[in-house]
Amino acid sequence: MKRFSTLPALNLIGIAALAVALLVLAPAVLDDFRLGNLAKYCCYAMVAVGIGLAWGRGGMLVLGQGMFFGLGAYVMAFHLKLEAAGPDAIPDFMMLYGNGTMPAWWEPFRSGAFTLFMVVALPATVSTLLGLAVFKRRIKGAYFAILSQALAVAFATLIISQIEVTGGFNGLSAFTSFFGYSLYDPINQRMIFFITAGLLVAMLLVAFQLYRSRFGELLIATRDAEERVRFLGHDPANIKLVAFVIAAVMAGIGGAMFVPIVGIVSPLDIDEVASIGLIAGVALGGRATLLGPAIGALAVGYAKTSLSETFPGSWTYFQGALFVLVILFLPGGLAQLPSYLGRLRPARKQKQVPALQAEGAA
Amino acid sequence: MDVIVSQLFTGASTGAVLLLVALGLALTFGQMGVINMAHGEFLMAGAYTAYLTQQAVSNSDVSLLIALPLGFLVAGMLGLLLEMTVISRMYHRPLDTLLVTFGVGLILQQVARDVFGAQPKAVASPTWLHGQLDLLGYGYPVTRLFIVTIAVGCLAGTAAVLKYTALGRRIRATVQNRDLAETVGVSTRGTDRVTFFLGSGLAGVAGVALTLVTATVSNLGTSYIVPAFLVVVAGGIGQIKGSVIAAFALGIVGAFLTYYTSGSLATVLTFVLVVAFLQIRPQGLFTVRTRSLA
C-alpha cells in the first residue's frame, strides 16, 4: 500500500489512464447499451471511492452506504418525476397510491439547482449528524459496522412504507428527461455517460489529493492507532467524521447519476444487501489503494451483468466466493497481488509491505 | 388498559423471538467477538430442518419435538465447520470476519434456493399448539407462548452451562483473559470451537421455532440478523443478561411504536432509539470492566 502512496506520479498516471479508458476508448468501442452499463458501474465506482476512503484508509467499515446512495438517488428521482410530469402537474404515481395531491416539500424539487444542491447537502447533513453521534462517543469497530448496517435497513424500510411519496417497494421509474434533455435520445445517454465518468475521475483526483495531504496521513494513523493519535493531541472523531462525510457525499452523487442512467430506483438498490454488495468491489480492488476500489467496483459490476446474463443464479455464488476468497487470502485486494507473488520468489528481494492492521481490535 | 396488556404481550413475544435469535449471537459475538453474518443462514438451516423432519415423520404433532434438537445439531455442525475452516484463520481481523461470513451466508442462501426452490415451504404446526390460552380476559395464541417457553428454556440452559459446568468456566476464562486461560491449561482453541458450536446450534433451535410464525424461505435469516445484532450491541458485549433485557425492551418498545405509528416507522424509530441509547452508554447496557483503551 505504502509502495503506491509514496509514488504520487504513479497514481496520477493511473488516474489519467483510467480517464482515457473511460472517456476516449470506451465511447469509441462500446455500443450504446454497453456504454449505459458502464455508466452504471461508474456510479458504483463513485460509491467505492468513498468506501475506500472511509474503510480502506479510515478503518470504518461502512455497511450502510446504500442509504447515502439512496438519498442522492431519490432526490434526483423526485426532480426527474416532476420534470416528467411537466410544470404544475404532479407525478403519476401520486395519483395511483395517494390522494392525488402533492406534499408541499416536493415543490422545491421542481428546481434543478435545488435538486443538485440537495444531492450533496442531504447526504452530507445526515452523515454529519450520524457521524457526530457515533464518533464523538467513540463507537467504533464492529459496533459502528452494525449500526451503519441497521441504518440501511431502517432507511429502506422507511422508503417502502412512504409509498405516497416514494413509490414504495416498486420505487420510482418512467423518467422522460434529464434537465431538459430527453432520455430517449441516445446522444443524451452518451452525454450522461460522459458526465458520470467525468465525475468519477474528479472524485479520484479529490481522493488523490486527500491521500497526499496531512489529513490523509492522520486518517491512516487513526485507522492503525487511534489512541496514539488522541495522545498526540488530535481528535480522531473529527478526522473520521470528515472521511465519513466525504464518503457519504460521493455515494450520494453516485446515486443521483444512477437514476437517469438506469431509469429506476427502488428500495432493492439501496437496502443493506445492496450496501454490503458495494463493499465487494472495494475489497477486490484493494481497499487502501487509490484506484483499487474504483477499478474493483467496475470489474464487479461487469462480472455481475455478464454472469447474470449467462448463468442466472450463479452470481450469488460468485459474489459469496468473492467475499470469502478475497478477504480471507488477499485482504489487500488485487493490488496486493504483485507483492504477494514477489514473496513467493525468494531470489528477488522484496520491500516489506506493511500489513493491514487488525482494525484497532474490536 | 386493554391496549397496554395486549401490546405488552405482543412485544414480549417479539422479544422472545429476538432473544432466541440473539442468544446464539450473544455467545459468538458477545463472548468470542466474532461477527458471524451467516448466523441468519443458520436460522434458515434450522427452519429447513424442521421442514425436512416433517416430510420424514409426517406426524406434525411429534415432528416439531424431533426437529428442535435436530435443528440444534445441524446448525451447530454448520457453525463448527465454519469456525474450523474460515473463522479460526481470522480471529485477529474481526471486521473482515463480518464480510467473509456474509459471503458464506450468500452461498448458503443460494444453495437453499437451488435445493428447496424459491417458493416458501409451509411447516404445519402441531395440533397441541392450536388455539388460544385465556389469561386476564385475553386470548393468547399458544404458538407464541410456546416460543416464549423455548426462549426462556434456551436462556436458562445457556446460563446454566456458562455458570455451573466446567465448559462454562473454560468459556468465561477464555473470554476474560485468553493468555492466562491458556497458561493454566485451558485449550482456548477447543473452547472457541465448542462455544461456536453452541452459539450456532442455538440459531438452529431459533430457526425451528420460527417455522411456527413465519414461512420457510431461503432468505429467512436476512430479516432477523440485523435486529439481533442490534440487541447484542444495545445489551452490551460479554454478558448474556444485557441481551435478554435489550431483546425484550426492543420487542416491547417496537410493539408500542407499531401500535401508535406503523410497523415500518417503528423499525426506523427503534433504530434511532438504539443510537440514542448508545450515546448514553456507548458500550451497551452491561459492560465487562477492563482497563484496555480499546
Side-chain angles (χ1 to χ4, degrees), chain A residues 55 59-61 63 130 132-134 137-143 145-151 153-155 157-158 160-162 227 231 272-273 276-277 279 283 287 313-314 316-317 319-321 323-324 327-329 331 356-362, chain B residues 29 33 35 37 85-86 89-90 92-104 106-114 222-223 225-227 229-230 232-234 236-237 262-265 267-268 271 274-275 278-284 293-294:
Chain A
W55 178 42
M60 297 169 274
L61 182 49
L63 293 181
L130 192 87
L132 279 177
V134 170
R137 291 300 290 170
R138 302 188 190 177
I139 295 169
K140 57 188 171 189
Y143 278 60
I146 289 165
L147 278 184
S148 67
Q149 190 176 30
L151 186 71
V153 176
F155 183 67
T157 319
L158 186 69
I160 293 173
S161 72
Q162 306 297 310
E227 292 304 335
F231 293 157
E272 77 279 14
V273 178
I276 203 169
I279 304 272
R287 59 181 88 157
S314 67
T316 315
Y317 285 120
Q319 198 188 10
F323 270 114
V324 175
I327 295 182
L328 194 57
F329 297 112
L356 278 174
Q357 290 296 312
E359 286 127 16
Chain B
F29 178 41
I35 309 168
M37 293 298 285
T85 51
V86 175
R89 293 166 191 272
M90 39 199 329
H92 56 291
R93 292 194 280 152
L95 288 184
D96 283 2
T97 317
L98 188 160
L99 295 173
V100 170
T101 50
F102 174 78
V104 172
L106 277 182
I107 294 172
L108 287 178
Q109 272 188 36
Q110 190 60 37
V111 168
R113 213 169 295 138
D114 287 348
T222 43
S223 46
I225 186 80
V226 175
F229 266 117
L230 274 191
V232 182
V233 165
I237 283 182
S262 69
S264 36
L265 213 54
T267 312
V268 180
F271 167 76
V274 172
V275 174
L278 289 177
Q279 291 298 299
I280 310 164
R281 293 194 71 91
Q283 302 294 318
L293 286 164

Side-chain angles (χ1 to χ4, degrees), chain A residues 33 53 61 94 142 149 155 174 192-193 200 204 209 227 237 244 292 301 322 326 349:
Chain A
F33 174 71
L53 178 70
L61 182 49
M94 286 190 180
Q149 190 176 30
F155 183 67
I192 294 174
F193 168 78
L200 175 61
L204 283 170
Q209 184 51 37
E227 292 304 335
F244 184 57
L322 195 67
V326 169
K349 198 163 179 196

Side-chain angles (χ1 to χ4, degrees), chain A residues 61 70 120 129 176 224 237 247 280 357:
Chain A
L61 182 49
V120 174
L129 291 177
T176 53
D224 292 342
Q357 290 296 312

